[in-house]
Amino acid sequence: DGGITQSPKYLFRKEGQNVTLSCEQNLNHDAMYWYRQDPGQGLRLIYYSQIVNDFQKGDIAEGYSVSREKKESFPLTVTSAQKNPTAFYLCASRIDRVQSDNSPLHFGNGTRLTVT
Amino acid sequence: RKEVEQDPGPFNVPEGATVAFNCTYSNSASQSFFWYRQDCRKEPKLLMSVYSSGNEDGRFTAQLNRASQYISLLIRDSKLSDSATYLCVVTAQGYNKLIFGAGTRLAVHP
């Protein structure tokens, strides 16, 4: 079955450590996204990528980094510079070949990161 | 002003009721609009896309009003299983950046 896989589901880290969240998709989608959700709040865009080797900052990119070396993969690194890293992180992908396309986002199951 | 705004609710309605949510957006150039449903501690799932002429899927009807820059979601004959948070999504700053509203909570009771 095609889909988006995020791993791990739960992640615990000590403050000051960098941590990388995995996101893999086999939907052959061009665009991939990372969102962050805090309790009781909506999703905020961290980074997105339309094609391999290219990505753009979202609204809250500070303290995060990404790479897009392969179409299928879009890992997110939460660095020690991110002041409040504890959150629910959601990866999504979307067909993005035609600018007028009304294609929706497809989400992975998310990773809950807790930093203490 | 936020790019996408929703009434957070909660909307508490009895089974069988009709309920409507609105979502306003600030970018008049936005092209794509969606409604997602999110259950507690789960990922959002697509409920429906919103088309210019309005569209319906069973008990759910979505409308777009470009002049007033809002989209709406109408749920008829509410079920207990409709209890969730409903998120509106709008493209901003071009086609590829999708912005979420904070969501509207719906609680359907017996």
Side-chain angles (χ1 to χ4, degrees):
Chain A
D1 284 340
I4 301 175
T5 302
Q6 288 188 245
S7 60
K9 189 171 181 178
Y10 298 96
L11 192 54
F12 298 88
R13 280 292 183 271
K14 294 288 188 188
E15 197 174 316
Q17 294 178 331
N18 290 358
V19 59
T20 297
L21 281 59
S22 169
C23 178
E24 304 277 331
Q25 55 99 1
N26 59 6
L27 299 166
N28 198 32
H29 285 176
D30 297 304
M32 296 187 75
Y33 301 77
W34 274 105
Y35 288 89
R36 166 187 174 137
Q37 187 174 35
D38 294 281
Q41 298 189 33
L43 281 68
R44 292 184 289 167
L45 183 62
I46 305 173
Y47 269 99
Y48 62 106
S49 168
Q50 297 169 239
I51 56 172
V52 173
N53 292 324
D54 186 49
F55 45 83
Q56 289 78 41
K57 292 182 178 180
D59 299 316
I60 55 165
E62 186 175 345
Y64 298 98
S65 65
V66 293
S67 63
R68 186 87 187 274
E69 296 176 5
K70 298 186 300 182
K71 187 175 184 178
E72 303 79 24
S73 179
F74 192 41
L76 173 74
T77 297
V78 184
T79 75
S80 55
Q82 167 50 232
K83 296 191 186 326
N84 297 296
T86 295
F88 185 37
Y89 289 88
L90 286 154
C91 179
S93 70
R94 182 186 194 214
I95 294 174
D96 183 31
R97 299 193 192 97
V98 176
Q99 193 163 18
S100 60
D101 191 3
N102 202 39
S103 57
L105 288 170
H106 298 260
F107 282 92
N109 292 336
T111 293
R112 291 195 181 276
L113 173 64
T114 301
V115 176
T116 57
Chain B
R1 182 185 174 189
K2 289 184 182 177
E3 289 184 88
V4 181
E5 293 199 74
Q6 294 183 251
D7 181 342
F11 285 63
N12 294 301
V13 302
E15 273 186 292
T18 295
V19 62
F21 310 134
N22 279 346
C23 168
T24 59
Y25 60 95
S26 62
N27 188 344
S28 59
S30 294
Q31 292 293 321
S32 300
F33 308 89
F34 308 92
W35 282 103
Y36 278 74
R37 171 199 168 118
Q38 186 175 29
D39 293 294
C40 189
R41 299 178 70 81
K42 298 281 191 181
E43 76 277 16
K45 290 194 174 5
L46 178 68
L47 181 64
M48 58 199 303
S49 301
V50 185
Y51 301 117
S52 297
S53 55
N55 48 299
E56 189 174 304
D57 183 3
R59 299 181 292 109
F60 300 86
T61 300
Q63 297 277 353
L64 168 63
N65 185 317
R66 285 193 185 274
S68 301
Q69 293 181 206
Y70 74 85
I71 61 173
S72 64
L73 177 68
L74 181 78
I75 305 175
R76 291 182 297 279
D77 188 22
S78 298
K79 312 289 184 194
L80 295 175
S81 57
D82 293 334
S83 298
T85 296
Y86 291 83
L87 306 167
C88 74
V89 186
V90 176
T91 54
Q93 291 183 18
Y95 166 72
N96 289 305
K97 186 179 178 185
L98 287 89
I99 302 298
F100 281 74
T104 297
R105 278 186 52 213
L106 171 66
V108 182
H109 57 81

